[in-house]
Structures are given as structure tokens and as C-alpha cells.
Amino acid sequence: MNAFEYGNELWNLFTNDEILVQALNVDVNDESSYSKHYRQDDVAPELFSVENLPFIAFYFADATSTVNDYLNLGLLRIDIYTSYRDDVEPIRKRITEIIHEHFDERVRAEGQRSSGITNVYKYRLEFTPLIFT
């Protein structure tokens, strides 16, 4: 899978997972609710509204070469934005379960990051899957 295919597969898995949909407070009767709670890009503070919390952003931030000309080591970031720190854990848990089940990847780094917005908590997960060049 290349980075775009990987991202599309994550979108399908995340948006079709009932536990994650519920944890993100997605209104399943409103199509636009999905795009508010699932983002496939690095989200700058001025590009989101606190009314859409919680939400996740998942994207490839980088890819580095390997000894194999056909594979790169991707840097997949999944940022979780919530109003409160305690809201992160169920979302984090479900995301890692989905990734473990479908991609056999493990978290390589994680921790709190500044969201750039007062009273918005941001937690980042990083994975390093191999992706096709």
C-alpha cells in the first residue's frame, strides 16, 4: 500500500467502527459529521472549531528510504483532539486496537502536544509502517 491507499484504508476502518464513531460523538445521520470528526491532514489551530470536539487527524508526516528501493518507512501521525485529557483514553485505545488488528503495527511514540487553542487537549500517536514507493 502507498501512503494514499493506507490513509484511505484508515478512513474506512475508522469511520465504520461503531466504538470509535460513538467515542467521537459522530452523528451517523449527518454525512458532514464525519468530516468534522475525522481529518486526513495536519490540523492548524485556526482550521478547526472547538464545537467539533472530539476529533482525530491522521496523516503521513514523512517517509524515509530503506535499503529496499520499493519500500519507505512512513511516519503516520494520529492526533486526538478533545476537551479533556480523560476523553483521550477510550479513543486512543480503540485506534490502537484497530491498527493492531488490521496492520500489525505498534505505537512507536506518543504523548501530549500543544493544540494551539486554550482548553483543547491534543494527544499524538506515531506509527512507522512500511509503505510502497
Side-chain angles (χ1 to χ4, degrees), residues 56-119:
I56 61 172
F58 49 100
Y59 55 94
F60 278 93
D62 196 13
T64 56
S65 60
T66 64
V67 294
N68 185 330
D69 288 339
Y70 297 100
L71 293 174
N72 284 334
L73 188 64
L75 176 57
L76 171 63
R77 288 186 174 154
I78 302 177
D79 296 331
I80 304 167
Y81 294 83
T82 64
S83 298
Y84 306 101
R85 181 183 179 277
D86 291 343
D87 295 340
V88 169
E89 180 52 27
I91 298 169
R92 181 214 176 275
K93 180 181 180 195
R94 189 60 191 148
I95 287 172
T96 56
E97 288 172 350
I98 291 169
I99 295 208
H100 292 170
E101 290 169 10
H102 295 277
F103 298 105
D104 196 28
E105 290 292 329
R106 297 295 179 254
V107 175
R108 300 294 182 193
E110 65 180 302
Q112 180 181 348
R113 300 286 193 268
S114 171
S115 69
I117 301 280
T118 303
N119 298 324

